Amino acid sequence: MGSTIVLGIESSCDETGAGLVRDGPLPGHAVASSMDEHARYGGVVPEIAARAHAHSVHPVIRRALDEAGLRLSDIGAVAVTTGPGLSGALQVGLAGAKGIACALGVPLYGVHHLAGHVAADTLEHAPLPDPCMVLIVSGGHTSLLPVRDLARDPIVHLGDTLDGAAGECFDKVARVFGLPYPGGTAIDRAARAGDPHAIPFPRPLPGSYDFSFSGLKTAAARWAEGHVGRELPVADGAASLQEAVADVLTRKAVAACRAYGVGTLVVVGGVAANSRVRSPAEERCRSAGIERRVPPPRLCTDNGAMIAAVGDLLVRAGAEPAPLDVSIDPSAPLEHAAPHPLAAGTVAA
Ligand code: KG4
Ligand code: ZN
């Protein structure tokens, strides 16, 4: 069981990812992005994303196999994102995964995209300690999760965003600041030349494990409007926004670790690639005596290896594979790593 090679396929948004995992470590990993095709529209266009996935899925799988020095016939299981995400984009990945699983006669696992983000950290570091506190910060989600066994246990939510996500806040404010898509990386780059304390942007919902970014978005927009007719000091705006987001995220995450006596904080998702989110998390954790784990930036943003990593956990947990008529769920709630029950007798009591 332990040496099964799992192919992971990710196509929920604008990145087509394929990754191969065997017993934890990462032998192959390739990503193709349609980001440039969306840039002139200022955001992801679903039809363009779906078409780009259809073009890229085969070459990306080929590249991942070549990188790992493996052949298609070496694959022992296929894991694929079934949600949440863009409907057409998810359909392309699932169709590809079903085709391969069916042709090879190997099991297929449907995976929740966010569970993939959580498992991404295991590709670079050791298996997740039980328990750990996970902060997921992506383009569509912001959640604080006390995680025990990702493959077996239902996922418990300690805090969630009450409105938009941290990544969406970066993307929207970047537009207002006249920065290009994708906004998160543009804000990160612009912020390098700015003063993080120039503008006192709000830190919403103190004392709660939930998050809210709408007040921050409004404050940033008001600040930009206040400069009409004058040059906007974008670097200061970007640095101050990044500071506010990083401050709120890490403060709550570290408070949660302390309150629940959890010794490890794992920060995952596209926003975990942000330089300012990474560093205060490290400083705060060090002074609280908490281990901080963040995947390398290439594994923070969407990729197929993280989906393969969940597949690997499911295989090793003896999970029931998905039926071949499994379908996508564009708004799948984060309740389980896989939307299908584990094999009888393997579920943790
Ligand atoms: O996890 P991800 O790749 O896709 C989703 O599942 O949503 O996250 C994408 C989000 C976008 O909002 C993007 O702006 C943000 O992650 N992001 C960043 C950085 N790199 C990507 N945000 C801040 N700083 C970055 N360096
Ligand atoms: Zn993602």
Side-chain angles (χ1 to χ4, degrees):
M1 267 302 201
S3 61
T4 302
I5 293 169
V6 183
L7 166 69
I9 299 175
E10 155 60 34
S11 71
S12 65
C13 191
D14 57 352
E15 254 108 26
T16 319
L20 292 146
V21 166
R22 179 178 23 201
D23 229 358
L26 172 74
H29 161 66
V31 176
S33 178
S34 58
M35 214 174 256
D36 294 346
E37 295 173 58
H38 306 288
R40 66 192 166 115
Y41 302 101
V44 178
V45 182
E47 285 77 10
I48 293 179
R51 195 155 19 101
H53 287 305
H55 281 293
S56 304
V57 71
H58 184 246
V60 159
I61 294 169
R62 197 60 290 147
R63 255 171 46 215
L65 284 166
D66 288 348
E67 196 183 300
L70 295 169
R71 287 169 309 175
L72 201 57
S73 56
D74 293 322
I75 293 167
V78 181
V80 61
T81 307
T82 49
L86 302 170
S87 168
L90 290 165
Q91 306 261 23
V92 174
L94 180 59
K98 281 184 181 179
I100 293 172
C102 202
L104 296 176
V106 299
L108 174 72
Y109 295 89
V111 169
H112 194 287
H113 178 78
L114 295 178
H117 277 300
V118 180
D121 190 65
T122 65
L123 297 169
E124 190 74 9
H125 304 120
L128 294 175
D130 174 5
C132 61
M133 192 64 70
V134 176
L135 173 66
I136 296 189
V137 272
S138 72
H141 297 82
T142 306
S143 298
L144 203 45
L145 317 167
V147 171
R148 301 215 59 161
D149 184 327
L150 186 64
R152 289 189 168 93
D153 296 339
I155 293 170
V156 176
H157 291 240
L158 183 61
D160 284 295
T161 180
L162 304 182
D163 38 55
E168 189 233 353
C169 173
F170 281 133
D171 294 334
K172 293 256 165 74
V173 175
R175 261 176 110 148
V176 174
F177 286 1
L179 294 169
Y181 170 86
T185 26
I187 295 260
D188 202 351
R189 213 175 308 118
R192 284 184 211 148
D195 174 4
H197 305 291
I199 307 120
F201 286 134
R203 270 60 167 169
L205 302 182
S208 160
Y209 294 126
D210 286 329
F211 304 90
S212 167
F213 296 98
S214 64
L216 196 48
K217 277 188 284 187
T218 308
R222 291 266 151 75
W223 174 78
E225 280 161 22
H227 287 78
V228 172
R230 291 180 291 145
E231 197 188 330
L232 187 68
V234 172
D236 283 348
S240 301
L241 177 81
Q242 205 171 262
E243 184 65 20
V245 172
D247 185 30
V248 163
L249 292 175
T250 54
R251 194 181 290 275
K252 291 179 187 233
V254 170
C257 288
R258 279 195 155 134
Y260 287 79
V262 174
T264 305
L265 172 65
V266 187
V267 189
V268 297
V271 177
N274 184 273
S275 52
R276 199 55 203 142
V277 171
R278 298 172 85 87
S279 54
E282 186 168 7
E283 291 155 22
R284 283 216 168 106
C285 283
R286 203 183 307 121
S287 57
I290 296 163
E291 180 202 16
R292 180 222 59 157
R293 290 175 38 166
V294 186
R298 76 194 159 93
L299 293 174
C300 286
T301 46
D302 292 349
N303 64 83
M306 68 186 200
I307 304 304
V310 179
D312 180 56
L313 292 176
L314 292 169
V315 167
R316 285 192 278 150
E320 184 83 51
L324 263 187
D325 63 353
V326 60
S327 55
I328 58 151
D329 181 357
S331 55
L334 181 55
E335 290 167 347
H336 291 275
H340 295 279
L342 294 168
T346 61
V347 182

